[in-house]
Amino acid sequence: MEKNNTPIYVTKPYLPEKEKFNQYIDFIWESCSLTNQGTLHNDFQDSLREYLNVGNITLTVNGHLALELALRMFDFEQGSEVITTPFTFASTTHAITLSGLKPVFCDIKESDLTIDENKIEELITEQTVAILPVHVYGHPCNVEAIESIAKKYGLIVLYDAAHAFAVKVNGKSIANYGDISMFSFHATKLFHSIEGGALAYNKSEYAEILNAYKNFGIMDEEHVEYVGRNAKMNEFQAAMGLCNLDSMEDILLKRKEITLRYRELLESIPEIQMFHVESDKTEYNYAYLPVLINTKENREGLYDFLAEHNIFVRKYFYPIVSDYECYKDLYNEVKLPVAQESGDRVLTLPIYHELSLEDVDRVCLFIKEYFKK
Ligand code: T4K
């Protein structure tokens, strides 16, 4: 095999044309408005509202604080229970815990690794106030089933849609499901604003309070109505977001092309299970390239083998959250067999705009070589 030692990481941020970004930078220099809901912030908010086809957008400095703001908005009684998935990034569970609420873990489905909607009802108690599912890797949860459970029990649904930018279900933007959806615009996401996040929702009465919460609870110069945080997105972040939003079509096409190449090359390997979530019902965003390896031993072996060849894949999401040092004592008794096994077998392969099909071929050649041994 030809030796190519250029490192390939799991992801690489998309960067717009420097010239285009510089035009926004010139504008910032001229206006000397750097943060606190400036012109670019407001333009970005409007553009996102249109792109996501949703009633309201509240921009934030990152996705995690957006989740905390959304949880705070509902003023849940401290200690109340929130049903969520253990198969996610630390942020989802930490946001619940840091809000003084109790995460209750529900197992996931092997078919797409999202929360198992058939296991939610058995976890509902008098203390349950909300469901916080994750559209993990951009795979949409069963939004209809979750909505009907929430309606039946009077629960709030807050989606962690960190990975689900541009996903559509039943022809509708995913931002229209649940009470609020949180999107992350971190540099590692298919669409980013360096760091950044947004809350998307259709109830306009949430806007005033969320906008106050992200700015210390300040209503105007003489009135501070809420105990708020500082979670404001600045003008440089908004500039990057505005630049990148124009490239979405190109970004999605490129990621689809990469995904199809991986499928073509890997689907015949019996030790590897891939995911197909796009359908008549679902427009997917190709945000990640997760695969399940047949055993944990092979997952670890393949991870190391690829690293030896300068290919740095990731185990998103291992360990599952209920096994973190900070949570495991609380969840000893909780059985989450599908999440546990998926965490033991998952690998996310490199996918990013700049990744060439030759790079994909190189990754797949090494994967094939590993399984030949
Ligand atoms: N909910 C979910 C489900 C999430 O996945 C996340 C974030 C959140 C909530 C919270 O949203 P934010 O508050 O972050 O907006 C990364 C990201 O930092 C994190 O945003 C993301 N999820 C998580 C899944 O992945 P790390 O620690 O794995 O990233 P890191 O720094 O190891 O980067 C991965 C690879 O990307 C590197 O190997 C190289 C490349 N890279 C990264 C950065 C930052 C670059 O080439 N350039 C860069 O600037 O967490």
Side-chain angles (χ1 to χ4, degrees):
M1 190 178 300
E2 194 188 318
K3 195 126 178 103
N4 177 352
N5 260 336
T6 320
I8 299 178
Y9 296 97
V10 69
T11 190
K12 188 174 179 180
Y14 176 84
L15 284 174
E17 291 293 322
K18 216 169 171 185
E19 269 303 297
K20 189 174 173 189
F21 189 62
N22 281 344
Q23 286 172 15
Y24 284 105
I25 299 303
D26 289 344
F27 176 84
I28 295 174
W29 249 253
E30 278 156 30
S31 67
C32 204
S33 166
L34 307 187
T35 187
N36 287 3
Q37 284 82 252
T39 306
L40 299 182
H41 167 281
N42 294 340
D43 285 355
F44 185 33
Q45 193 161 275
D46 291 344
S47 305
L48 277 177
R49 197 185 307 122
E50 201 173 306
Y51 185 83
L52 290 172
N53 199 9
V54 67
N56 302 271
I57 292 284
T58 294
L59 290 173
T60 53
V61 67
N62 59 48
H64 177 79
L65 280 175
L67 267 185
E68 286 198 29
L69 294 187
L71 284 161
R72 166 103 171 77
M73 232 253 349
F74 294 103
D75 214 6
F76 297 127
E77 196 173 314
Q78 294 289 285
S80 300
E81 295 176 0
V82 177
I83 297 173
T84 190
T85 169
F87 193 79
T88 183
F89 189 57
S91 168
T92 321
T93 317
H94 287 351
I96 298 170
T97 308
L98 288 166
S99 304
L101 304 167
K102 183 180 171 211
V104 173
F105 291 117
C106 179
D107 208 357
I108 60 170
K109 295 172 294 198
E110 197 183 335
S111 57
D112 61 9
L113 309 184
T114 65
I115 197 164
D116 187 341
E117 63 278 2
N118 294 315
K119 295 187 178 148
I120 293 177
E121 273 190 273
E122 65 204 52
L123 298 171
I124 295 175
T125 69
E126 286 290 300
Q127 280 71 48
T128 310
V129 289
I131 310 173
L132 204 171
V134 180
H135 301 302
V136 69
Y137 312 125
H139 300 178
C141 299
N142 186 336
V143 287
E144 285 130 355
I146 291 171
E147 187 176 320
S148 71
I149 295 168
K151 265 201 186 132
K152 183 168 163 193
Y153 294 91
L155 304 175
I156 293 295
V157 179
L158 174 53
Y159 280 110
D160 180 332
H163 304 169
F165 192 74
V167 171
K168 288 186 184 163
V169 176
N170 299 322
K172 274 204 303 193
S173 158
I174 195 107
N176 287 295
Y177 293 93
D179 293 275
I180 304 186
S181 295
M182 179 282 283
F183 294 92
S184 163
F185 306 145
H186 184 264
T188 54
K189 299 289 182 283
L190 86 161
F191 169 73
H192 76 90
S193 59
I194 309 172
E195 292 263 2
L199 294 173
Y201 47 97
N202 282 314
K203 290 200 178 110
S204 38
E205 60 267 31
Y206 294 168
E208 185 179 276
I209 186 161
L210 287 172
N211 287 329
Y213 277 158
K214 77 174 189 186
N215 185 25
F216 307 102
I218 295 173
M219 306 307 284
D220 60 42
E221 272 188 58
E222 296 185 6
H223 298 96
V224 181
E225 206 167 308
Y226 308 104
V227 182
R229 296 188 181 281
N230 179 358
K232 289 164 287 161
M233 174 179 279
N234 69 51
E235 292 292 272
F236 293 85
Q237 292 176 287
M240 182 62 87
L242 281 165
C243 280
N244 289 344
L245 199 55
D246 289 341
S247 307
M248 272 313 292
E249 204 180 326
D250 186 30
I251 290 172
L252 291 172
L253 276 173
K254 186 68 203 288
R255 299 179 83 96
K256 181 174 181 182
E257 190 186 22
I258 292 168
T259 302
L260 295 182
R261 182 71 149 233
Y262 270 119
R263 285 184 189 160
E264 185 192 325
L265 295 174
L266 297 181
E267 263 176 344
S268 57
I269 303 179
E271 292 89 349
I272 292 187
Q273 184 183 328
M274 304 189 84
F275 295 91
H276 292 249
V277 296
E278 63 270 37
S279 66
D280 291 349
K281 204 177 148 179
T282 303
E283 262 179 63
Y284 184 44
N285 63 359
Y286 308 94
Y288 289 81
L289 206 304
V291 294
L292 292 180
I293 309 298
N294 63 338
T295 62
K296 184 174 185 186
E297 196 190 357
N298 270 336
R299 193 274 301 271
E300 300 300 339
L302 180 59
Y303 177 94
D304 292 341
F305 182 74
L306 291 173
E308 281 163 25
H309 294 90
N310 254 353
I311 297 166
F312 301 99
V313 299
R314 294 295 280 265
K315 301 172 200 172
Y316 294 137
F317 291 101
Y318 173 82
I320 60 169
V321 179
S322 48
D323 285 343
Y324 287 5
E325 286 79 0
C326 54
Y327 291 119
K328 68 178 179 203
D329 291 343
L330 297 171
Y331 295 99
N332 273 339
E333 305 299 315
V334 182
K335 300 274 174 280
L336 301 160
V338 184
Q340 202 81 53
E341 192 183 322
S342 306
D344 285 349
R345 290 172 48 205
V346 76
L347 275 186
T348 44
L349 304 181
I351 183 166
Y352 49 88
H353 189 80
E354 237 186 69
L355 189 72
S356 67
L357 293 182
E358 290 70 35
D359 285 336
V360 176
D361 293 352
R362 182 178 145 208
V363 174
C364 294
L365 267 176
F366 282 117
I367 293 176
K368 283 182 179 163
E369 190 172 302
Y370 174 82
F371 284 110
K372 257 193 237 149
K373 284 197 291 170

